Amino acid sequence: GSGPHDLRLTYVTEAPAWKPSYRIVLAPDKHVKFQAWAIVDNTSGEDWKGVKLGVGASSALSFRFDLWSVRLVQRDTLEADSLFAQAPPTGGATHGGPPAEKKILADLNEDSLNAVIQQTPPPPPAPPDFVSLEAPKSRSRPRLAPARTADLPGPAGGGKSAGMGGMARSDSNGFGPQQQAANQELMNLARRINSSRHQVIIEGFADRNDEDKQTASLERANRVREQLLRNGVAPDKVVAVGRGEAAGKQGGVRFIEASITPTNAREERDKDDEREKKENTGSAEPIGASHFESGSIMTVPRGTAAMVSIYQGDTEGEVVYLYDNESPRGNASYPFRSVRLRNPTDSALESGPVTVFGEGRFIGEGLSEPIPPRAIAFIPFALDRQIVVEKQSDNRDEIHRILSVQRGVFSTEVQRTRRTVLTLTNRLPEKAVVYIRHTIPQGYKLTKGPVVAEKMGDANLFRVEIPPSATSDVTIEEATPVLRTADIRSAEGMSLVKLYLSSAALEGPLKQRVADLIKHQQEIGTLEQQISTLREQMGEYRQRMDELHEQLVTLRAVKNPHGNLMQHLEKKLQEVSEKMSKATIELVSLQEKLMVTRIRFQDGVADLSLDKKDDSKKDDKKPAG
């Protein structure tokens, strides 16, 4: 419009970020006095006179952009001897448009495919040193020179090749013109694939006479891929795909160039994994928008700093203990004395130092993470060692579900349980409240533990109350399913199956058959123990018989042997000999029983199977233990 106008200019200048500082004054009840300040530095080069100073923070993005400098466009210089009639560049696809066309490298019909695959190449020609000098005169020099074909540069860059490099031969060597042309085309294609950075997809098509269209098409593609691999093509550069029956295709294969090379594809996957890893390992603490404004007008001279009160009042809070063994500065033996308080404002409190006062004196200092509006936060400020923690951990496996049974081998779903026991000792003459920070590993599920009071990021916070001068045990169990095989013929496998049976989770005929096997195994163990004991007794009998026999031989060598002693020794020898005979008979009987029991056990294992009607595990039934 016409006439003068008022113009308002706004601008953003570079300035230091404000810094928060907090103070907490403890009270006897579950409330604390909370004070917050913002320290602002005036580095703008001018005085701030009569202003209301406000501070804020958010995740808004800001940057600098040069709008002052003159920007010139650099232009390329065209050469006068540039070639004419050059092909234009390939245009890219727009978002949401039709898919890009496939780049077809070659297309072999069924006849050309049979010429390449179904013909078996004849053996390579003999080396020149062993060529017979009595060859028929009808063979001219050109027909005795298949090496000219082998001298073509193969995939490995050499001359003669034992694979495709020597397949394009003349008619007299077993290949006709059609086979020779098809093999030559495949050789040229192999060289193109090796020299290209792209991956090639081999699409196989089915013939109308094929019974299984999908299998036949995939088989054609795989056979051509095998020929390319023999010609030196890297396995990761060719992929065989079966397309089944397609319109206009009666057998044969087609070669299509992929848009991404295998190397670039792996690099992209690695980059995605790295980005995901950084996102997962980054801070999960909330960062929200905040804004605080001073209630009074103030003046801040340039080059100075102002301390602006942004909040002052009471809020919900109490002194508790926080056991944190997971943070980089955590402690495994002692919980931290902490203030558990609520953010009383409608804005996020930025991370900053927190000074804690109690009973009119300084008792500690902590550092707060960003606290969302009206949220609960923990601020550790001291380590007084009045609560002692002892930690014990162990793992165990229990069968959760039987999937299949074959010849005594159980394919099971095992529940792997990690058990952590924390023993907390309270040295104080008053009750102590301890919050335990515990993160459940990925893939695990909490199965036993205290009630989850709150969460801190990805971690659970368990609330535990310890009486004065007392000790409390806290058990935390987390489980994950693992597929595992258990052989009932091994001691470990039998112990797992026995534990599973003791939980009464297995029903049906399988339970009775397994119980019979357990009974047979126990009987085998008893018989083996009896046989071992009996063998030890027989060893003692043999040693005693040898001693008696030696004593009798010594008495017989004496001229006037004592008759009563001789008779006594002979009687003892007879008694020991009879015991030895009875033990031998009993040993044979036990060995026979052991053999029969083992045969029954092996037969039971061979017949052991899981029927469909066996209800091996109720979905809503908890595992044993």
Side-chain angles (χ1 to χ4, degrees), residues 30 318 320 433-436 450-451 453 461-465:
K30 289 190 176 182
E318 61 177 334
V320 297
V433 177
V434 180
Y435 284 84
I436 300 173
V451 178
L461 288 179
F462 302 113
R463 178 185 172 93
V464 180
E465 294 185 1

Side-chain angles (χ1 to χ4, degrees), residues 165-223:
M167 291 184 62
R169 304 174 190 273
S170 60
D171 299 324
S172 60
N173 286 328
F175 284 155
Q178 185 178 7
Q179 289 88 349
Q180 187 176 5
N183 287 328
Q184 186 64 41
E185 182 178 359
L186 198 63
M187 290 170 54
N188 296 335
L189 181 62
R191 284 195 289 269
R192 290 181 60 185
I193 295 175
N194 283 327
S195 60
S196 174
R197 298 176 60 250
H198 294 267
Q199 193 178 46
V200 173
I201 301 175
I202 306 174
E203 294 183 336
F205 300 96
D207 188 74
R208 60 184 177 182
N209 298 325
D210 295 329
E211 296 182 0
D212 190 346
K213 308 293 185 182
Q214 186 65 31
T215 303
S217 63
L218 181 60
E219 183 180 358
R220 286 183 174 89
N222 277 322
R223 285 188 293 176

Side-chain angles (χ1 to χ4, degrees), residues 272-284:
D272 292 340
D273 294 341
E274 188 67 23
R275 282 193 296 267
E276 182 178 359
K277 182 178 180 181
K278 290 182 179 179
E279 292 174 359
N280 293 336
T281 56
S283 176

